Amino acid sequence: GENVEQHPSTLSVQEGDSAVIKCTYSDSASNYFPWYKQELGKRPQLIIDIRSNVGEKKDQRIAVTLNKTAKHFSLHITETQPEDSAVYFCAASIMNTGTASKLTFGTGTRLQVTL
Amino acid sequence: ETGVTQTPRHLVMGMTNKKSLKCEQHLGHNAMYWYKQSAKKPLELMFVYSLEERVENNSVPSRFSPECPNSSHLFLHLHTLQPEDSALYLCASSQDGGWGNIQYFGAGTRLSVL
């Protein structure tokens, strides 16, 4: 089955700096890679996702890159703000039409943005 | 509020108790999921239901028994649990049948087994 590794487990940055979280996956058939943000005591929420037919996707201060050859993908947050402090999870999945999506999650990265 | 509601939010039970967790989604989705979230571990997929049929059971002990009576409701029946089963149990739903089947999570049930 799929195995997803995520690094680092904790990350502390100063407000305004950039943060990068990296994930690797094992199953070359995986073709969908979402990122979830979980604030303390709250539910995981999707912040951005990427499909295997693109190499990069950007949404305001958040971007995700995908290297299919190396089987790794990364989350980039620029101009970090205190409200970015949370646990971030990457995931990988094989998406097929008509089937339930079975996500394999990484272990999470706790991001702390300090003033 | 993402449209996925879980009850109760907190549950404390003894090892001999029987309890049930409930999940309800108001998004018109056709797939529902149970995850276990423990400290310092990845979200672990437990069960997947698609169109009310169980399509995945990730080697979960039989003391966890899921039930999906319709596409909007999902239950997790618990009996004779162990202390190591203490965790946050998250329910999610998605609409299958195409790309980008985004999963929407509930707020979870924090379970403590004494």
Side-chain angles (χ1 to χ4, degrees):
Chain A
E2 175 67 277
N3 181 50
V4 176
E5 295 192 357
Q6 183 171 348
H7 299 281
S9 57
T10 59
L11 179 59
S12 182
V13 300
Q14 284 199 320
E15 183 180 7
D17 287 350
S18 295
V20 180
I21 302 170
K22 298 181 178 181
C23 289
T24 60
Y25 61 99
S26 61
D27 191 342
S28 57
S30 289
N31 55 11
Y32 176 64
F33 308 92
W35 286 88
Y36 283 81
K37 174 184 180 183
Q38 187 175 25
E39 294 177 48
L40 189 62
K42 295 192 176 180
R43 71 194 74 201
Q45 290 192 297
L46 180 76
I47 55 171
I48 195 167
D49 56 10
I50 191 168
R51 303 172 187 174
S52 60
N53 57 345
V54 300
E56 184 174 0
K57 184 177 178 180
K58 194 172 182 180
D59 182 4
Q60 299 182 339
R61 296 187 296 107
I62 294 173
V64 58
T65 59
L66 171 65
N67 183 329
K68 286 190 295 182
T69 303
K71 289 190 282 189
H72 67 71
F73 55 112
S74 301
L75 178 71
H76 304 254
I77 305 174
T78 59
E79 301 171 23
T80 53
Q81 300 167 5
E83 52 265 38
D84 294 329
S85 297
V87 178
Y88 292 81
F89 293 94
C90 64
S93 175
I94 301 172
M95 303 297 288
N96 294 305
T97 57
T99 60
S101 51
K102 303 178 189 70
L103 295 174
T104 301
F105 283 87
T107 49
T109 296
R110 183 173 299 280
L111 174 64
Q112 181 70 45
V113 180
T114 58
L115 297 173
Chain B
E1 180 61 49
T2 63
V4 182
T5 304
Q6 288 188 245
T7 53
R9 293 294 310 275
H10 302 272
L11 179 63
V12 179
M13 60 187 289
M15 289 190 285
T16 59
N17 292 157
K18 289 185 180 180
K19 296 286 183 182
S20 295
L21 310 184
K22 180 182 177 182
C23 177
E24 187 173 358
Q25 58 95 2
H26 308 278
L27 301 169
H29 290 166
N30 58 11
M32 297 186 78
Y33 312 78
W34 278 118
Y35 288 90
K36 176 183 179 182
Q37 186 175 33
S38 306
K40 298 183 180 180
K41 283 188 173 182
L43 280 158
E44 300 172 64
L45 180 64
M46 300 175 71
F47 300 104
V48 180
Y49 276 83
S50 180
L51 298 172
E52 303 152 41
E53 285 192 33
R54 191 190 309 179
V55 296
E56 186 83 13
N57 177 347
N58 271 0
S59 303
V60 179
S62 59
R63 55 186 184 268
F64 295 92
S65 175
E67 179 189 2
C68 187
N70 56 62
S71 60
S72 299
H73 294 85
L74 184 66
F75 295 90
L76 188 62
H77 304 299
L78 316 171
H79 65 98
T80 60
L81 294 191
Q82 304 298 311
E84 59 265 30
D85 296 323
S86 298
L88 180 68
Y89 288 84
L90 289 161
C91 171
S93 71
S94 69
Q95 180 60 34
D96 291 330
W99 275 96
N101 297 358
I102 298 170
Q103 292 188 21
Y104 294 86
F105 284 86
T109 295
R110 175 72 60 187
L111 174 67
S112 297
V113 181
L114 305 179

